[in-house]
Amino acid sequence: MTTLATLEPVGYVVPERILTTFTAQVVETRGLLARIAVQLNPYDVRELQLCLETSTLRIVVEGNGFDAGRVAARLDKIIGVLEVSYC
């Protein structure tokens, strides 16, 4: 009988995911998520969080083949989004 453990290649390592988190203050929420979705269309967005209590937007994008500064600039152009930062 063959078990699943014997079928796995020896030394197989799962590649580490690269994530960039963008944070911004927001002043207006009506229609905000729709405008954000349009600007982030080509990116691999893994998380989109809008906190109404603190007026904070958090976006997590996976991958390393994009310019994070360019994404931040796109977000900064959206009406109602202020002070975009990323790490």
Side-chain angles (χ1 to χ4, degrees), residues 13-25:
V13 177
V14 177
E16 186 175 321
R17 293 174 26 185
I18 298 173
L19 302 174
T20 303
T21 302
F22 297 86
T23 306
Q25 292 294 312

Side-chain angles (χ1 to χ4, degrees), residues 42-61:
Y43 302 105
D44 190 6
V45 176
R46 293 298 174 167
E47 184 178 333
L48 182 73
Q49 211 176 57
L50 177 61
C51 179
L52 298 177
E53 285 182 13
T54 61
S55 297
T56 303
L57 172 67
R58 182 174 184 266
I59 302 167
V60 177
V61 178

